[in-house]
Amino acid sequence: MKNKTVFVCKECGNESAKWMGKCPACGTWNSMIEEVVEKTSSAQVRKKVSPVLINEVSTQEGERCSVGSSELDRVLGGGIVKGSLVLCGGEPGIGKSTLLLQVAKHASGAGKVLYVSGEESDKQIRLRAERLNAISDSLYVLNETDLDSILSAIELLNPSFVIADSIQTFYSSNLTSAPGSVGQVRECTLKFMELAKSKGITIFIVGHVTKEGAIAGPRVLEHMVDCVLYFEGERHQSYRIVRAVKNRFGSTNEIGVFEMTDSGLVDVPNPSLMLLSGRPVDAPGSAIVCSVEGTRPILAEIQALVSKSSFAIPRRMASGVDFNRVSLIMTVLEKRMGLNLGDQDAYVNVTGGIKLDESATDLAIACAIASSFRNEPLPDDMAFFGEIGLTGEIRTVTQAARRIAEIEKMGFKRCMLPFDCLGSVDKCENIQLVAVRSLSDALRYIKE
């Protein structure tokens, strides 16, 4: 009998009988790939299920336990919930396997831990564990890619913690497609999810990322898991950031900061101090911003370099902040403030390799660009936060009191903030608050 083939969208998992250039469900171009499916018997036994009244459902959260890292505990919402399924994604060499092996070492103190690897041999895992001082009598390793064999090993060992590295290398014999395909990734993740929920086993799965930075495989993969962690940072820099973009048991967009050392990843309890180390004094184009990532205020240095362009079309580059946001701010500076930036090259960078997605960084970016353009340094004892509108107004941002407390803690004497934020801030004795209503007020103050 000839096998039936269908075309599946690798982004959303939508199936089609024929190939299409554009997925009709999610609208993604060139995402349909061919997969072989087998016919299932129509005589299947239906499972008998019974609904439960919503007022009889227990609201108690599952048991939480520490993973041995205060930063990762913060990202997970106070520790890992027993029986949860966590997906970890990041570029190759960023430190995913290193951190999870350290987590496995800590978890082995409370029960058996199984580290399943489809990419490394047992010997390679042992050598890395020796380097990280992660050897334990309760830590087991398994080099296998067959999902059925992995599930049998879990049934036999009955661990309380499982790490699967990586989901793209595993395959189920029920499907004829190759490992890493949409069907295989979905099937393997579904089996791990059923195992985690039925047995109460905490499972971490590692996912590869595409060149765009998204986790490879169907988008439904991120919907199936309880928590999605992204590893950020440059491979050649020592600092790494773990960001929770989805968390059913805690806040999203929470971040944890780590430093890569010879003995593994080490927590960085004060990221502001790390990001401000080596900051230049009296340098034009340097501004300090206070951004809130999840529930944590972080101070970072934004550097801008504006110079006369030697090209017909000026170059614009942004690292650590949104490029389109920088272009918008430069347009506001030129249109509303009269700064002639049309023939200037502009480079904006956030030091330390951190990415800031918050609109509260607008004021610091604008002041840094204006400072570099005028070649006049900003006050060294001042920090900034505020959102800029298209008319040049400075709009209010959230958690102003928490930002000011962090700025004061780091020793700054002045803070420029939106005028509308003053109502939510208590009186401060050790820091001067410079409230501005518009971008012209801000630039007039730093010029004086």
Side-chain angles (χ1 to χ4, degrees):
M1 184 180 65
K2 186 178 179 181
N3 288 329
K4 180 184 176 183
T5 61
V6 296
F7 293 88
V8 183
C9 175
K10 62 183 180 181
E11 292 295 328
C12 66
N14 181 59
E15 295 184 0
S16 173
K18 61 180 181 179
W19 184 87
M20 289 180 286
K22 183 180 180 181
C23 174
C26 64
T28 306
W29 288 91
N30 298 323
S31 62
M32 307 294 288
I33 60 176
E34 187 177 9
E35 283 196 358
V36 179
V37 295
E38 296 180 353
K39 272 192 161 184
T40 57
S41 174
S42 59
Q44 292 181 339
V45 180
R46 294 182 179 177
K47 293 175 62 177
K48 293 184 178 180
V49 295
S50 57
V52 180
L53 282 172
I54 191 170
N55 57 8
E56 295 179 358
V57 177
S58 174
T59 57
Q60 289 186 347
E61 191 181 75
E63 179 186 353
R64 283 189 185 268
C65 59
S66 173
V67 295
S69 166
S70 59
E71 289 296 299
L72 191 55
D73 284 340
R74 170 194 286 271
V75 175
L76 293 170
I80 188 68
V81 176
K82 184 179 179 181
S84 60
L85 182 63
V86 181
L87 173 63
C88 302
E91 295 181 356
I94 201 70
K96 303 185 296 296
S97 301
T98 298
L99 181 60
L100 292 182
L101 192 56
Q102 293 178 219
V103 170
K105 166 63 169 60
H106 181 270
S108 64
K112 296 178 182 178
V113 177
L114 178 61
Y115 190 105
V116 184
S117 177
E119 301 175 341
E120 295 178 295
S121 65
D122 299 344
K123 184 178 180 180
Q124 289 174 313
I125 300 175
R126 169 63 189 262
L127 292 173
R128 182 152 49 88
E130 289 180 348
R131 178 173 58 85
L132 300 175
N133 193 23
I135 302 295
S136 173
D137 294 335
S138 301
L139 177 57
Y140 297 80
V141 295
L142 175 64
N143 176 238
E144 184 58 67
T145 56
D146 184 6
L147 181 64
D148 295 330
S149 300
I150 295 172
L151 296 179
S152 298
I154 294 176
E155 290 283 347
L156 182 63
L157 184 63
N158 192 25
S160 59
F161 201 96
V162 174
I163 295 175
D165 186 8
S166 66
I167 193 65
Q168 278 80 13
T169 61
F170 303 141
Y171 70 93
S172 173
S173 57
N174 296 330
L175 302 178
T176 57
S177 54
S181 63
V182 174
Q184 289 286 6
V185 171
R186 184 172 55 225
E187 177 72 10
C188 294
T189 306
L190 181 62
K191 293 296 184 183
F192 280 126
M193 183 182 69
E194 292 175 351
L195 181 67
K197 303 306 178 186
S198 62
K199 301 288 186 180
I201 301 175
T202 304
I203 301 178
F204 275 77
I205 58 176
V206 178
H208 293 167
V209 295
T210 62
K211 61 182 180 181
E212 290 84 12
I215 294 180
R219 183 62 63 180
V220 70
L221 175 65
E222 299 186 27
H223 294 291
M224 294 167 66
V225 301
D226 297 314
C227 182
V228 180
L229 304 180
Y230 272 96
F231 283 68
E232 301 175 359
E234 298 293 336
R235 291 180 57 186
H236 306 293
Q237 292 186 352
S238 59
Y239 295 105
R240 305 286 191 270
I241 296 169
V242 178
R243 186 187 301 271
V245 296
K246 174 189 176 181
N247 192 354
R248 288 175 178 159
F249 308 110
S251 63
T252 57
N253 260 351
E254 193 69 71
I255 69 167
V257 184
F258 300 86
E259 181 181 6
M260 179 64 78
T261 64
D262 294 337
S263 58
L265 288 167
V266 180
D267 294 353
V268 178
N270 192 346
S272 299
L273 184 63
M274 174 270 292
L275 293 171
L276 297 182
S277 61
R279 177 193 171 207
V281 180
D282 293 332
S286 174
I288 303 301
V289 63
C290 186
S291 176
V292 175
E293 299 291 333
T295 59
R296 165 185 281 181
I298 294 179
L299 265 65
E301 181 189 2
I302 293 181
Q303 293 183 341
L305 179 62
V306 180
S307 141
K308 183 75 174 180
S309 178
S310 58
F311 303 98
I313 301 178
R315 296 195 63 184
R316 306 285 167 83
M317 293 182 63
S319 176
V321 290
D322 183 38
F323 173 80
N324 295 324
R325 195 73 188 174
V326 173
S327 299
L328 184 148
I329 293 172
M330 293 186 66
T331 304
V332 173
L333 285 170
E334 187 167 9
K335 179 72 175 179
R336 306 297 181 187
M337 302 298 107
L339 300 184
N340 187 17
L341 301 173
D343 58 349
Q344 304 285 319
D345 290 336
Y347 306 88
V348 178
N349 175 52
V350 180
T351 60
I354 192 172
K355 294 181 181 178
L356 303 178
D357 300 326
E358 197 186 17
S359 59
T361 60
D362 290 355
L363 183 57
I365 294 173
C367 291
I369 293 174
S371 170
S372 179
F373 178 75
R374 295 171 173 174
N375 201 30
E376 298 174 354
L378 297 173
D380 290 327
D381 61 347
M382 176 177 284
F384 304 81
F385 65 85
E387 180 183 352
I388 296 177
L390 295 181
T391 61
E393 80 277 12
I394 307 299
R395 306 181 69 88
T396 183
V397 296
T398 60
Q399 304 187 54
R402 183 171 293 179
R403 298 174 197 265
I404 294 174
E406 180 69 13
I407 292 172
E408 185 178 358
K409 173 185 171 184
M410 295 304 299
F412 289 88
K413 301 301 181 184
R414 287 182 285 180
C415 174
M416 183 175 289
L417 72 163
F419 185 85
D420 293 337
C421 287
L422 287 179
S424 60
V425 178
D426 297 331
K427 187 176 180 180
C428 302
E429 298 180 356
N430 300 324
I431 187 171
Q432 177 187 354
L433 301 181
V434 180
V436 291
R437 297 180 182 271
S438 64
L439 189 55
S440 59
D441 295 340
L443 298 185
R444 190 181 307 112
Y445 180 88
I446 61 177
K447 192 176 182 180
E448 292 176 353

